[in-house]
PDB file of all heavy atoms in Angstrom:
ATOM      1  N   THR A 281      72.425 145.908 124.031  1.00  0.00           N
ATOM      2  CA  THR A 281      72.626 145.681 122.599  1.00  0.00           C
ATOM      3  C   THR A 281      72.330 144.230 122.241  1.00  0.00           C
ATOM      4  O   THR A 281      71.628 143.950 121.265  1.00  0.00           O
ATOM      5  CB  THR A 281      74.086 146.038 122.218  1.00  0.00           C
ATOM      6  OG1 THR A 281      74.341 147.352 122.701  1.00  0.00           O
ATOM      7  CG2 THR A 281      74.319 145.973 120.727  1.00  0.00           C
ATOM      8  N   PHE A 282      72.841 143.291 123.040  1.00  0.00           N
ATOM      9  CA  PHE A 282      72.585 141.873 122.740  1.00  0.00           C
ATOM     10  C   PHE A 282      71.108 141.530 122.879  1.00  0.00           C
ATOM     11  O   PHE A 282      70.554 140.769 122.086  1.00  0.00           O
ATOM     12  CB  PHE A 282      73.436 140.965 123.648  1.00  0.00           C
ATOM     13  CG  PHE A 282      74.832 140.812 123.117  1.00  0.00           C
ATOM     14  CD1 PHE A 282      75.796 141.769 123.382  1.00  0.00           C
ATOM     15  CD2 PHE A 282      75.169 139.734 122.312  1.00  0.00           C
ATOM     16  CE1 PHE A 282      77.077 141.651 122.868  1.00  0.00           C
ATOM     17  CE2 PHE A 282      76.447 139.608 121.784  1.00  0.00           C
ATOM     18  CZ  PHE A 282      77.407 140.573 122.070  1.00  0.00           C
ATOM     19  N   ARG A 283      70.462 142.131 123.891  1.00  0.00           N
ATOM     20  CA  ARG A 283      69.043 141.814 124.113  1.00  0.00           C
ATOM     21  C   ARG A 283      68.119 142.498 123.096  1.00  0.00           C
ATOM     22  O   ARG A 283      66.973 142.123 122.936  1.00  0.00           O
ATOM     23  CB  ARG A 283      68.641 142.170 125.548  1.00  0.00           C
ATOM     24  CG  ARG A 283      69.299 141.250 126.586  1.00  0.00           C
ATOM     25  CD  ARG A 283      68.692 141.423 127.963  1.00  0.00           C
ATOM     26  NE  ARG A 283      68.798 142.785 128.454  1.00  0.00           N
ATOM     27  CZ  ARG A 283      69.860 143.287 129.102  1.00  0.00           C
ATOM     28  NH1 ARG A 283      70.908 142.530 129.341  1.00  0.00           N
ATOM     29  NH2 ARG A 283      69.868 144.539 129.508  1.00  0.00           N
ATOM     30  N   GLU A 284      68.661 143.502 122.386  1.00  0.00           N
ATOM     31  CA  GLU A 284      67.864 144.159 121.346  1.00  0.00           C
ATOM     32  C   GLU A 284      68.002 143.457 120.002  1.00  0.00           C
ATOM     33  O   GLU A 284      67.161 143.581 119.135  1.00  0.00           O
ATOM     34  CB  GLU A 284      68.357 145.599 121.147  1.00  0.00           C
ATOM     35  CG  GLU A 284      67.678 146.610 122.013  1.00  0.00           C
ATOM     36  CD  GLU A 284      68.464 147.916 122.055  1.00  0.00           C
ATOM     37  OE1 GLU A 284      69.131 148.270 121.051  1.00  0.00           O
ATOM     38  OE2 GLU A 284      68.452 148.556 123.126  1.00  0.00           O
ATOM     39  N   HIS A 285      69.104 142.730 119.829  1.00  0.00           N
ATOM     40  CA  HIS A 285      69.375 142.163 118.503  1.00  0.00           C
ATOM     41  C   HIS A 285      69.309 140.641 118.547  1.00  0.00           C
ATOM     42  O   HIS A 285      68.229 140.084 118.603  1.00  0.00           O
ATOM     43  CB  HIS A 285      70.713 142.707 117.978  1.00  0.00           C
ATOM     44  CG  HIS A 285      70.648 144.186 117.782  1.00  0.00           C
ATOM     45  ND1 HIS A 285      69.990 144.755 116.719  1.00  0.00           N
ATOM     46  CD2 HIS A 285      71.106 145.216 118.543  1.00  0.00           C
ATOM     47  CE1 HIS A 285      70.047 146.081 116.827  1.00  0.00           C
ATOM     48  NE2 HIS A 285      70.721 146.391 117.921  1.00  0.00           N
ATOM     49  N   VAL A 286      70.479 139.966 118.605  1.00  0.00           N
ATOM     50  CA  VAL A 286      70.463 138.506 118.446  1.00  0.00           C
ATOM     51  C   VAL A 286      69.606 137.808 119.507  1.00  0.00           C
ATOM     52  O   VAL A 286      68.902 136.844 119.198  1.00  0.00           O
ATOM     53  CB  VAL A 286      71.903 137.935 118.378  1.00  0.00           C
ATOM     54  CG1 VAL A 286      72.689 138.224 119.643  1.00  0.00           C
ATOM     55  CG2 VAL A 286      71.895 136.444 118.117  1.00  0.00           C
ATOM     56  N   PHE A 287      69.590 138.312 120.734  1.00  0.00           N
ATOM     57  CA  PHE A 287      68.776 137.690 121.783  1.00  0.00           C
ATOM     58  C   PHE A 287      67.627 138.603 122.209  1.00  0.00           C
ATOM     59  O   PHE A 287      67.406 138.845 123.398  1.00  0.00           O
ATOM     60  CB  PHE A 287      69.639 137.249 122.967  1.00  0.00           C
ATOM     61  CG  PHE A 287      70.590 136.147 122.578  1.00  0.00           C
ATOM     62  CD1 PHE A 287      71.969 136.330 122.637  1.00  0.00           C
ATOM     63  CD2 PHE A 287      70.107 134.942 122.098  1.00  0.00           C
ATOM     64  CE1 PHE A 287      72.845 135.321 122.237  1.00  0.00           C
ATOM     65  CE2 PHE A 287      70.975 133.925 121.701  1.00  0.00           C
ATOM     66  CZ  PHE A 287      72.349 134.115 121.761  1.00  0.00           C
ATOM     67  N   ASN A 288      66.930 139.128 121.190  1.00  0.00           N
ATOM     68  CA  ASN A 288      65.689 139.854 121.460  1.00  0.00           C
ATOM     69  C   ASN A 288      64.613 138.787 121.721  1.00  0.00           C
ATOM     70  O   ASN A 288      64.031 138.207 120.804  1.00  0.00           O
ATOM     71  CB  ASN A 288      65.322 140.712 120.255  1.00  0.00           C
ATOM     72  CG  ASN A 288      64.084 141.553 120.516  1.00  0.00           C
ATOM     73  OD1 ASN A 288      63.175 141.138 121.248  1.00  0.00           O
ATOM     74  ND2 ASN A 288      64.047 142.726 119.937  1.00  0.00           N
ATOM     75  N   PHE A 289      64.400 138.491 122.995  1.00  0.00           N
ATOM     76  CA  PHE A 289      63.528 137.375 123.362  1.00  0.00           C
ATOM     77  C   PHE A 289      62.118 137.543 122.789  1.00  0.00           C
ATOM     78  O   PHE A 289      61.538 136.610 122.230  1.00  0.00           O
ATOM     79  CB  PHE A 289      63.439 137.224 124.885  1.00  0.00           C
ATOM     80  CG  PHE A 289      64.707 136.753 125.551  1.00  0.00           C
ATOM     81  CD1 PHE A 289      64.836 136.810 126.940  1.00  0.00           C
ATOM     82  CD2 PHE A 289      65.767 136.232 124.828  1.00  0.00           C
ATOM     83  CE1 PHE A 289      65.974 136.366 127.580  1.00  0.00           C
ATOM     84  CE2 PHE A 289      66.919 135.779 125.455  1.00  0.00           C
ATOM     85  CZ  PHE A 289      67.024 135.854 126.834  1.00  0.00           C
ATOM     86  N   ALA A 290      61.547 138.765 122.950  1.00  0.00           N
ATOM     87  CA  ALA A 290      60.154 138.981 122.537  1.00  0.00           C
ATOM     88  C   ALA A 290      59.991 138.690 121.047  1.00  0.00           C
ATOM     89  O   ALA A 290      58.962 138.175 120.609  1.00  0.00           O
ATOM     90  CB  ALA A 290      59.745 140.411 122.855  1.00  0.00           C
ATOM     91  N   LYS A 291      61.027 139.003 120.291  1.00  0.00           N
ATOM     92  CA  LYS A 291      60.935 138.866 118.841  1.00  0.00           C
ATOM     93  C   LYS A 291      61.200 137.437 118.352  1.00  0.00           C
ATOM     94  O   LYS A 291      60.570 136.973 117.407  1.00  0.00           O
ATOM     95  CB  LYS A 291      61.988 139.804 118.251  1.00  0.00           C
ATOM     96  CG  LYS A 291      61.699 140.325 116.889  1.00  0.00           C
ATOM     97  CD  LYS A 291      62.671 141.468 116.624  1.00  0.00           C
ATOM     98  CE  LYS A 291      62.705 141.854 115.175  1.00  0.00           C
ATOM     99  NZ  LYS A 291      63.747 142.846 114.962  1.00  0.00           N
ATOM    100  N   HIS A 292      62.134 136.762 119.008  1.00  0.00           N
ATOM    101  CA  HIS A 292      62.621 135.506 118.408  1.00  0.00           C
ATOM    102  C   HIS A 292      62.316 134.230 119.184  1.00  0.00           C
ATOM    103  O   HIS A 292      62.437 133.138 118.627  1.00  0.00           O
ATOM    104  CB  HIS A 292      64.145 135.576 118.229  1.00  0.00           C
ATOM    105  CG  HIS A 292      64.605 136.748 117.428  1.00  0.00           C
ATOM    106  ND1 HIS A 292      64.181 136.986 116.145  1.00  0.00           N
ATOM    107  CD2 HIS A 292      65.466 137.759 117.739  1.00  0.00           C
ATOM    108  CE1 HIS A 292      64.754 138.098 115.697  1.00  0.00           C
ATOM    109  NE2 HIS A 292      65.530 138.594 116.645  1.00  0.00           N
ATOM    110  N   ARG A 293      61.980 134.328 120.468  1.00  0.00           N
ATOM    111  CA  ARG A 293      61.759 133.076 121.217  1.00  0.00           C
ATOM    112  C   ARG A 293      60.459 132.415 120.765  1.00  0.00           C
ATOM    113  O   ARG A 293      59.506 133.074 120.371  1.00  0.00           O
ATOM    114  CB  ARG A 293      61.708 133.333 122.736  1.00  0.00           C
ATOM    115  CG  ARG A 293      63.076 133.621 123.330  1.00  0.00           C
ATOM    116  CD  ARG A 293      63.015 133.740 124.839  1.00  0.00           C
ATOM    117  NE  ARG A 293      62.956 132.441 125.488  1.00  0.00           N
ATOM    118  CZ  ARG A 293      61.888 131.940 126.104  1.00  0.00           C
ATOM    119  NH1 ARG A 293      60.763 132.622 126.185  1.00  0.00           N
ATOM    120  NH2 ARG A 293      61.938 130.757 126.661  1.00  0.00           N
ATOM    121  N   ARG A 294      60.389 131.096 120.832  1.00  0.00           N
ATOM    122  CA  ARG A 294      59.211 130.329 120.410  1.00  0.00           C
ATOM    123  C   ARG A 294      58.807 129.368 121.525  1.00  0.00           C
ATOM    124  O   ARG A 294      58.971 128.156 121.416  1.00  0.00           O
ATOM    125  CB  ARG A 294      59.534 129.541 119.124  1.00  0.00           C
ATOM    126  CG  ARG A 294      59.832 130.420 117.928  1.00  0.00           C
ATOM    127  CD  ARG A 294      58.533 131.072 117.380  1.00  0.00           C
ATOM    128  NE  ARG A 294      58.861 132.053 116.341  1.00  0.00           N
ATOM    129  CZ  ARG A 294      58.686 133.366 116.482  1.00  0.00           C
ATOM    130  NH1 ARG A 294      58.192 133.853 117.608  1.00  0.00           N
ATOM    131  NH2 ARG A 294      58.984 134.179 115.506  1.00  0.00           N
ATOM    132  N   PRO A 295      58.276 129.923 122.635  1.00  0.00           N
ATOM    133  CA  PRO A 295      57.979 129.084 123.807  1.00  0.00           C
ATOM    134  C   PRO A 295      57.022 127.933 123.519  1.00  0.00           C
ATOM    135  O   PRO A 295      57.058 126.909 124.198  1.00  0.00           O
ATOM    136  CB  PRO A 295      57.394 130.063 124.831  1.00  0.00           C
ATOM    137  CG  PRO A 295      57.189 131.335 124.124  1.00  0.00           C
ATOM    138  CD  PRO A 295      58.001 131.340 122.888  1.00  0.00           C
ATOM    139  N   GLU A 296      56.186 128.096 122.471  1.00  0.00           N
ATOM    140  CA  GLU A 296      55.263 126.988 122.147  1.00  0.00           C
ATOM    141  C   GLU A 296      56.032 125.720 121.762  1.00  0.00           C
ATOM    142  O   GLU A 296      55.504 124.618 121.822  1.00  0.00           O
ATOM    143  CB  GLU A 296      54.267 127.397 121.047  1.00  0.00           C
ATOM    144  CG  GLU A 296      54.856 127.663 119.662  1.00  0.00           C
ATOM    145  CD  GLU A 296      55.385 129.096 119.465  1.00  0.00           C
ATOM    146  OE1 GLU A 296      55.741 129.766 120.464  1.00  0.00           O
ATOM    147  OE2 GLU A 296      55.470 129.522 118.293  1.00  0.00           O
ATOM    148  N   HIS A 297      57.303 125.874 121.396  1.00  0.00           N
ATOM    149  CA  HIS A 297      58.124 124.707 121.042  1.00  0.00           C
ATOM    150  C   HIS A 297      59.072 124.286 122.171  1.00  0.00           C
ATOM    151  O   HIS A 297      59.919 123.423 121.964  1.00  0.00           O
ATOM    152  CB  HIS A 297      58.933 125.006 119.773  1.00  0.00           C
ATOM    153  CG  HIS A 297      58.058 125.160 118.566  1.00  0.00           C
ATOM    154  ND1 HIS A 297      57.336 124.114 118.026  1.00  0.00           N
ATOM    155  CD2 HIS A 297      57.734 126.256 117.835  1.00  0.00           C
ATOM    156  CE1 HIS A 297      56.633 124.551 116.999  1.00  0.00           C
ATOM    157  NE2 HIS A 297      56.850 125.853 116.870  1.00  0.00           N
ATOM    158  N   TYR A 298      58.939 124.918 123.323  1.00  0.00           N
ATOM    159  CA  TYR A 298      59.857 124.608 124.434  1.00  0.00           C
ATOM    160  C   TYR A 298      59.135 123.868 125.562  1.00  0.00           C
ATOM    161  O   TYR A 298      59.669 123.744 126.663  1.00  0.00           O
ATOM    162  CB  TYR A 298      60.465 125.885 125.032  1.00  0.00           C
ATOM    163  CG  TYR A 298      61.117 126.859 124.080  1.00  0.00           C
ATOM    164  CD1 TYR A 298      61.174 128.218 124.403  1.00  0.00           C
ATOM    165  CD2 TYR A 298      61.704 126.455 122.874  1.00  0.00           C
ATOM    166  CE1 TYR A 298      61.785 129.138 123.560  1.00  0.00           C
ATOM    167  CE2 TYR A 298      62.300 127.381 122.022  1.00  0.00           C
ATOM    168  CZ  TYR A 298      62.329 128.717 122.367  1.00  0.00           C
ATOM    169  OH  TYR A 298      62.921 129.633 121.549  1.00  0.00           O
ATOM    170  N   LYS A 299      57.917 123.370 125.302  1.00  0.00           N
ATOM    171  CA  LYS A 299      57.081 122.845 126.397  1.00  0.00           C
ATOM    172  C   LYS A 299      57.759 121.744 127.208  1.00  0.00           C
ATOM    173  O   LYS A 299      57.575 121.646 128.414  1.00  0.00           O
ATOM    174  CB  LYS A 299      55.756 122.325 125.844  1.00  0.00           C
ATOM    175  CG  LYS A 299      54.830 123.463 125.458  1.00  0.00           C
ATOM    176  CD  LYS A 299      53.453 122.961 125.103  1.00  0.00           C
ATOM    177  CE  LYS A 299      52.601 124.140 124.670  1.00  0.00           C
ATOM    178  NZ  LYS A 299      51.687 123.799 123.593  1.00  0.00           N
ATOM    179  N   LEU A 300      58.538 120.892 126.529  1.00  0.00           N
ATOM    180  CA  LEU A 300      59.175 119.778 127.244  1.00  0.00           C
ATOM    181  C   LEU A 300      60.037 120.264 128.400  1.00  0.00           C
ATOM    182  O   LEU A 300      60.238 119.542 129.377  1.00  0.00           O
ATOM    183  CB  LEU A 300      60.057 118.966 126.294  1.00  0.00           C
ATOM    184  CG  LEU A 300      59.390 117.899 125.432  1.00  0.00           C
ATOM    185  CD1 LEU A 300      60.444 117.010 124.806  1.00  0.00           C
ATOM    186  CD2 LEU A 300      58.404 117.065 126.236  1.00  0.00           C
ATOM    187  N   ILE A 301      60.555 121.461 128.273  1.00  0.00           N
ATOM    188  CA  ILE A 301      61.440 121.982 129.321  1.00  0.00           C
ATOM    189  C   ILE A 301      60.736 122.022 130.675  1.00  0.00           C
ATOM    190  O   ILE A 301      61.350 121.738 131.694  1.00  0.00           O
ATOM    191  CB  ILE A 301      62.006 123.368 128.923  1.00  0.00           C
ATOM    192  CG1 ILE A 301      63.026 123.157 127.799  1.00  0.00           C
ATOM    193  CG2 ILE A 301      62.643 124.087 130.108  1.00  0.00           C
ATOM    194  CD1 ILE A 301      63.677 124.412 127.293  1.00  0.00           C
ATOM    195  N   VAL A 302      59.468 122.361 130.672  1.00  0.00           N
ATOM    196  CA  VAL A 302      58.757 122.359 131.957  1.00  0.00           C
ATOM    197  C   VAL A 302      57.942 121.089 132.181  1.00  0.00           C
ATOM    198  O   VAL A 302      57.589 120.768 133.307  1.00  0.00           O
ATOM    199  CB  VAL A 302      57.877 123.619 132.160  1.00  0.00           C
ATOM    200  CG1 VAL A 302      58.737 124.837 132.396  1.00  0.00           C
ATOM    201  CG2 VAL A 302      56.934 123.840 130.994  1.00  0.00           C
ATOM    202  N   GLU A 303      57.677 120.335 131.122  1.00  0.00           N
ATOM    203  CA  GLU A 303      56.875 119.113 131.304  1.00  0.00           C
ATOM    204  C   GLU A 303      57.712 117.920 131.752  1.00  0.00           C
ATOM    205  O   GLU A 303      57.224 117.028 132.421  1.00  0.00           O
ATOM    206  CB  GLU A 303      56.153 118.760 130.007  1.00  0.00           C
ATOM    207  CG  GLU A 303      54.973 119.676 129.749  1.00  0.00           C
ATOM    208  CD  GLU A 303      54.341 119.463 128.381  1.00  0.00           C
ATOM    209  OE1 GLU A 303      54.786 118.564 127.632  1.00  0.00           O
ATOM    210  OE2 GLU A 303      53.420 120.215 128.064  1.00  0.00           O
ATOM    211  N   ARG A 304      58.970 117.871 131.320  1.00  0.00           N
ATOM    212  CA  ARG A 304      59.818 116.730 131.660  1.00  0.00           C
ATOM    213  C   ARG A 304      60.968 117.167 132.554  1.00  0.00           C
ATOM    214  O   ARG A 304      61.548 118.231 132.336  1.00  0.00           O
ATOM    215  CB  ARG A 304      60.447 116.141 130.399  1.00  0.00           C
ATOM    216  CG  ARG A 304      59.520 115.257 129.627  1.00  0.00           C
ATOM    217  CD  ARG A 304      60.298 114.519 128.530  1.00  0.00           C
ATOM    218  NE  ARG A 304      59.368 113.858 127.636  1.00  0.00           N
ATOM    219  CZ  ARG A 304      59.705 113.278 126.486  1.00  0.00           C
ATOM    220  NH1 ARG A 304      60.972 113.291 126.086  1.00  0.00           N
ATOM    221  NH2 ARG A 304      58.811 112.686 125.734  1.00  0.00           N
ATOM    222  N   THR A 305      61.329 116.306 133.504  1.00  0.00           N
ATOM    223  CA  THR A 305      62.537 116.566 134.298  1.00  0.00           C
ATOM    224  C   THR A 305      63.709 115.834 133.653  1.00  0.00           C
ATOM    225  O   THR A 305      64.687 116.458 133.238  1.00  0.00           O
ATOM    226  CB  THR A 305      62.327 116.102 135.750  1.00  0.00           C
ATOM    227  OG1 THR A 305      61.159 116.721 136.254  1.00  0.00           O
ATOM    228  CG2 THR A 305      63.517 116.476 136.628  1.00  0.00           C
ATOM    229  N   GLY A 306      63.597 114.495 133.550  1.00  0.00           N
ATOM    230  CA  GLY A 306      64.660 113.708 132.928  1.00  0.00           C
ATOM    231  C   GLY A 306      64.389 113.507 131.451  1.00  0.00           C
ATOM    232  O   GLY A 306      63.272 113.730 130.976  1.00  0.00           O
ATOM    233  N   ALA A 307      65.429 113.076 130.726  1.00  0.00           N
ATOM    234  CA  ALA A 307      65.261 112.822 129.292  1.00  0.00           C
ATOM    235  C   ALA A 307      64.375 111.595 129.114  1.00  0.00           C
ATOM    236  O   ALA A 307      64.482 110.614 129.855  1.00  0.00           O
ATOM    237  CB  ALA A 307      66.623 112.603 128.648  1.00  0.00           C
TER     238      ALA A 307
END
Side-chain angles (χ1 to χ4, degrees):
T281 308
F282 278 83
R283 291 191 302 274
E284 270 164 32
H285 296 284
V286 61
F287 294 117
N288 183 327
F289 291 168
K291 207 167 166 186
H292 304 302
R293 286 185 79 251
R294 296 286 173 248
E296 67 275 25
H297 293 293
Y298 308 153
K299 286 188 182 144
L300 277 193
I301 288 180
V302 289
E303 285 173 2
R304 281 190 190 171
T305 306

